[in-house]
Amino acid sequence: MSDMKEIKLTYFNIMGLGETLRFMLSYMGKEFEDFRIPTFPEWVNNYKKKMPFGKLPLLEIDGKPYHQTMALCRWLGKKCGLAGDNDDEALEIDMLIESFSDFRSTVWVYFYNSDEENKKKIRPRIIESMTPFYLEKFDNIIKENKFLANGKLSWADIYIVAVLGYFSFMVEMDICEKYENIRDLRDRVHALPGIKEWVEKRPQTHW
Amino acid sequence: MSDMKEIKLTYFNIMGLGETLRFMLSYMGKEFEDFRIPTFPEWVNNYKKKMPFGKLPLLEIDGKPYHQTMALCRWLGKKCGLAGDNDDEALEIDMLIESFSDFRSTVWVYFYNSDEENKKKIRPRIIESMTPFYLEKFDNIIKENKFLANGKLSWADIYIVAVLGYFSFMVEMDICEKYENIRDLRDRVHALPGIKEWVEKRPQTHW
């Protein structure tokens, strides 16, 4: 880890998916430049074409570009002991996070749907049916095992807690108000050294 | 690996995402029960509720259930030397496969969209714009590095080649006809020991 000197995160001025990397880096005690592209037109005109697959966040470490939050959080997790102690534990983390990702990407497509007619049509399936289905599963897993995988803290807990604010906004409910075990996990992750300080000092944004 | 005795894969009677696990297990020389649920009503009525997150494929190893193809292919990849030689190589594989996953999940939502009006509306963005954008990226990576990550065979190559048939169907074009480097990768993966035999003997399905 001592070889990571200059770390720069490029993202929008929101928590969103970029917050997962801000949480991981803060947990690891790593200083990073938290660069936020001010406006959407600036993103489209000046940055989008330079990104590996046209997307953010981008993480630059000593000038080298990296992308994809799950890939990066897994990689950072390995560096700080949060990626499982063996291949089977790593698998349990990955199964959980991939299920979350299935859920997230469906909600995402709903949320960014600009066809209001269609959005109204698919709302019952996504917001009223799929959302509680997944959230109850996660809530139960935490209730039984205290954490999302292997009964101990992993990068999956940090990842999912980091996007909870964003996610609550997308699924149109305060997830932590309704699911007490998810709320409890959030409070425990927010109290972790590094993350506690980050949550206190981070720019206040809506999602 | 000698501890994996009874392996059962439950999926639909298609290639689809399940084919990724059939390819990996075949490459590893592992015998497995290739159980295919015959009809969609049977899936809904008799199986769906028993799945970890209501989804297929399900992989059972000595009676223990596992799910999520990317998590499982990464795990199997570690067991057969196809998951990178160090954390940085593993990251490169993961970044690539997550970008493919972004692409796949968007195409997926388009493909399974039952609102024909909306489907027509989003088609230009997904099929005419996003699809060639991603396929050209992958094609170029293969052209430059022979494989998708680290310039050598990894589970990402096997994963993506395994779903190419399915994927060609979803994006409404023969991917391998149009992108010669993807086609070349497909031919090389199809010629791998174990996978060669699997491709010759597998049930013929449309996608």
Side-chain angles (χ1 to χ4, degrees):
Chain A
M1 287 301 297
S2 53
D3 55 333
M4 285 166 55
K5 286 180 198 89
E6 280 188 32
I7 307 176
K8 178 180 177 180
L9 177 72
T10 300
Y11 194 56
F12 306 106
N13 186 27
I14 58 170
M15 292 183 285
L17 278 184
E19 196 69 9
T20 62
L21 292 167
R22 297 184 189 121
F23 266 47
M24 285 299 293
L25 291 167
S26 299
Y27 176 81
M28 296 165 80
K30 289 282 159 197
E31 300 232 343
F32 61 97
E33 183 190 345
D34 183 32
F35 177 64
R36 295 163 184 244
I37 297 172
T39 67
F40 195 72
E42 276 185 76
W43 154 244
V44 173
N45 296 326
N46 304 338
Y47 294 95
K48 191 169 171 56
K49 280 200 177 144
K50 297 175 195 159
M51 298 300 138
F53 278 83
K55 291 200 162 198
L56 289 181
L58 179 81
L59 189 68
E60 287 167 281
I61 301 176
D62 299 326
K64 201 179 166 194
Y66 298 88
H67 61 125
Q68 286 294 347
T69 56
M70 273 161 46
L72 283 163
C73 287
R74 181 181 298 111
W75 181 70
L76 292 170
K78 287 176 188 172
K79 293 185 184 294
C80 65
L82 291 187
D85 291 336
N86 52 53
D87 292 349
D88 287 0
E89 288 192 359
L91 172 63
E92 192 168 320
I93 296 167
D94 287 354
M95 289 193 297
L96 191 287
I97 205 83
E98 291 295 345
S99 292
F100 176 75
S101 180
D102 280 349
F103 172 41
R104 186 193 66 73
S105 63
T106 312
V107 169
W108 193 276
V109 172
Y110 165 79
F111 185 77
Y112 289 104
N113 190 341
S114 58
D115 180 343
E116 288 302 327
E117 201 60 37
N118 176 260
K119 202 166 174 172
K120 215 187 288 177
K121 217 180 273 182
I122 62 176
R123 193 186 181 287
R125 181 172 58 81
I126 293 172
I127 300 299
E128 291 157 31
S129 169
M130 179 194 272
T131 295
F133 172 82
Y134 272 95
L135 292 174
E136 275 164 30
K137 293 252 183 212
F138 296 134
D139 200 63
N140 273 329
I141 290 169
I142 300 165
K143 187 179 180 181
E144 279 171 32
N145 309 295
K146 225 180 147 198
F147 295 95
L148 286 162
N150 306 307
K152 63 184 173 191
L153 183 69
S154 75
W155 66 268
D157 301 298
I158 294 180
Y159 190 100
I160 291 178
V161 167
V163 297
L164 268 180
Y166 190 35
F167 223 68
S168 283
F169 192 71
M170 288 200 287
V171 300
E172 307 167 17
M173 71 157 98
D174 182 339
I175 292 171
C176 289
E177 193 179 353
K178 186 143 185 199
Y179 297 95
E180 60 177 326
N181 300 291
I182 295 178
R183 179 176 68 236
D184 181 59
L185 180 69
R186 177 200 63 183
D187 293 344
R188 283 181 285 127
V189 168
H190 279 190
L192 289 170
I195 292 179
K196 185 171 186 295
E197 291 71 27
W198 168 253
V199 170
E200 281 163 9
K201 79 175 184 193
R202 66 180 171 182
Q204 292 303 308
T205 58
H206 194 50
W207 44 303
Chain B
M1 286 302 299
S2 53
D3 55 335
M4 284 166 55
K5 286 181 200 89
E6 280 188 31
I7 307 176
K8 179 181 177 179
L9 177 72
T10 300
Y11 195 55
F12 305 106
N13 185 28
I14 57 171
M15 292 183 284
L17 278 183
E19 196 70 6
T20 62
L21 293 166
R22 297 185 190 121
F23 266 47
M24 285 298 293
L25 292 166
S26 299
Y27 177 80
M28 296 166 79
K30 290 282 161 195
E31 301 232 341
F32 60 97
E33 183 188 346
D34 183 32
F35 178 64
R36 293 164 184 243
I37 298 171
T39 67
F40 195 72
E42 275 183 78
W43 154 244
V44 174
N45 296 327
N46 305 337
Y47 293 95
K48 192 169 171 53
K49 280 201 176 140
K50 296 175 196 160
M51 298 301 137
F53 278 83
K55 290 198 163 201
L56 288 180
L58 180 80
L59 189 67
E60 289 167 280
I61 301 176
D62 299 327
K64 201 177 165 193
Y66 298 88
H67 62 124
Q68 286 295 346
T69 55
M70 273 161 47
L72 283 163
C73 287
R74 182 181 297 110
W75 181 71
L76 292 171
K78 288 176 188 172
K79 294 186 184 292
C80 64
L82 291 188
D85 290 337
N86 52 54
D87 292 349
D88 287 0
E89 287 192 0
L91 172 63
E92 193 170 320
I93 296 168
D94 287 354
M95 289 193 297
L96 190 287
I97 204 83
E98 291 295 345
S99 291
F100 176 75
S101 181
D102 279 348
F103 172 42
R104 186 195 64 74
S105 64
T106 312
V107 169
W108 193 276
V109 172
Y110 166 79
F111 184 78
Y112 288 104
N113 190 342
S114 58
D115 181 343
E116 288 301 327
E117 201 60 38
N118 176 260
K119 202 165 175 173
K120 215 187 287 175
K121 216 179 277 183
I122 63 176
R123 192 185 182 285
R125 181 172 57 83
I126 294 172
I127 300 301
E128 290 156 32
S129 169
M130 179 194 270
T131 295
F133 172 81
Y134 273 95
L135 291 175
E136 275 163 31
K137 292 254 182 212
F138 296 135
D139 199 62
N140 273 329
I141 291 169
I142 300 165
K143 188 179 180 181
E144 279 171 32
N145 308 294
K146 226 182 145 194
F147 295 95
L148 286 162
N150 305 307
K152 62 185 174 189
L153 183 69
S154 75
W155 65 269
D157 301 298
I158 294 181
Y159 190 99
I160 290 178
V161 166
V163 297
L164 269 180
Y166 189 35
F167 223 67
S168 282
F169 192 70
M170 290 200 285
V171 299
E172 307 168 15
M173 71 157 99
D174 183 339
I175 293 172
C176 290
E177 192 179 353
K178 187 143 184 198
Y179 296 95
E180 60 177 326
N181 300 291
I182 296 178
R183 180 177 66 237
D184 181 59
L185 180 69
R186 178 200 63 185
D187 293 345
R188 283 180 285 129
V189 167
H190 280 189
L192 290 169
I195 292 179
K196 187 172 186 292
E197 291 72 27
W198 169 253
V199 169
E200 279 164 9
K201 78 175 184 193
R202 67 180 170 182
Q204 291 305 308
T205 58
H206 193 52
W207 45 304

